[in-house]
Amino acid sequence: MDELGIGGLDQISELPDHLLHHILSFMPTKDVVQTKLLSRTWRRVCSSYPNFEFNLHNYSQRLEQRGRWIEISLEKQVQELDIRIYKYDLPPAIFASKSLHTLCLMGITMPPIFTTNTRFFSLRKLSICGVSLKEQILQDLIFKFPFIENLALLGGINPILVKKIRVSGLCNLKELTIFGWRVLEEVDIDAPSLKFFHYGGYILQQNNIKIKMGATNNVETLSITYDTTMTEQQFYDLISKFPLLKCLHVCMWNDV
């Protein structure tokens, strides 16, 4: 391919690697891998391509074999990892990664890594949705990542037996999302750097839900998603907890 194209030259291959990576970003992962066959240039570009998406439906390996993709990505010092595999046992090595700064988990089973006091300092963004865990494991999970800046705790579709969520000890936390926990009874937040708080879902159906904010409450943007069972007094009590509020987003939905 290096000698084909307009004027006998492949002009695309002459582009800088970052532009070639941008071109590859519009292609499915399987097609990206096949570009390695075109030339030495594309083999190098593909090997250094920083973004890969693996849809397990496109592969025939058993679940145990598919986990090798995650291990390989960790060896390559991946910085962002998004795993959406239902009932998949997450390898503990993920939490020991020093390069990983963004981790999104959906439907997986949390590994038993929380029996020690080990803490992990590289992670900056954590999102969990529909993850199989108990209340104490969730609290331990939050404790393990002291430098988190963006935390999203999403209950998912199925009821998850977590009645209390406490977010504390995260001095760098700037954005927090708590959404979709059906049986939640209490939210306790002590995060002095928190600026954005998104709160909603099934939790607002509970008339006795308690929200506790720490002494240093600097939230400026509040996003609320609630159902029609929320009263005017409940709404007032909620927003009154944020004295420095500058921006309010409200979304109402009807659960039928």
Side-chain angles (χ1 to χ4, degrees), residues 47-163:
S47 299
S48 62
Y49 182 61
N51 302 307
F52 281 97
E53 178 180 347
F54 295 97
N55 187 331
L56 297 185
H57 295 291
N58 296 331
Y59 298 90
S60 59
Q61 297 98 328
R62 293 178 301 174
L63 189 59
E64 295 83 0
Q65 295 174 317
R66 293 166 179 172
R68 293 175 187 174
W69 291 113
I70 298 176
E71 295 177 359
I72 292 173
S73 68
L74 295 175
E75 292 175 0
K76 296 296 184 179
Q77 297 186 332
V78 65
Q79 295 183 1
E80 298 184 17
L81 192 57
D82 189 338
I83 305 175
R84 307 185 184 196
I85 311 176
Y86 184 60
K87 291 186 177 180
Y88 172 70
D89 292 331
L90 197 68
I94 284 182
F95 297 101
S97 170
K98 295 182 179 180
S99 62
L100 196 64
H101 63 70
T102 298
L103 178 61
C104 300
L105 305 173
M106 178 179 290
I108 59 91
T109 300
M110 196 63 65
I113 67 166
F114 305 109
T115 56
T116 68
N117 292 324
T118 304
R119 306 184 80 182
F120 307 98
F121 299 97
S122 64
L123 208 62
R124 296 296 182 268
K125 180 178 180 179
L126 175 64
S127 173
I128 66 172
C129 178
V131 172
S132 177
L133 46 68
K134 296 180 180 180
E135 183 173 310
Q136 186 57 51
I137 294 180
L138 175 61
Q139 297 306 140
D140 291 343
L141 178 66
I142 295 173
F143 171 78
K144 294 294 181 183
F145 306 104
F147 293 154
I148 285 287
E149 298 176 359
N150 187 318
L151 177 62
L153 305 175
L154 312 175
I157 297 175
N158 296 322
I160 299 179
L161 298 179
V162 174
K163 294 185 177 180

Side-chain angles (χ1 to χ4, degrees), residues 200-217:
Y202 293 103
I203 54 178
L204 291 179
Q205 296 180 14
Q206 304 292 333
N207 293 330
N208 60 346
I209 185 72
K210 298 178 182 178
I211 298 181
K212 299 179 181 179
M213 300 299 298
T216 306
N217 182 357

Side-chain angles (χ1 to χ4, degrees), residues 5-21:
I6 299 176
L9 295 175
D10 171 24
Q11 295 181 334
I12 294 180
S13 295
E14 298 298 321
L15 294 173
D17 283 6
H18 72 278
L19 292 181
L20 295 177
H21 288 161

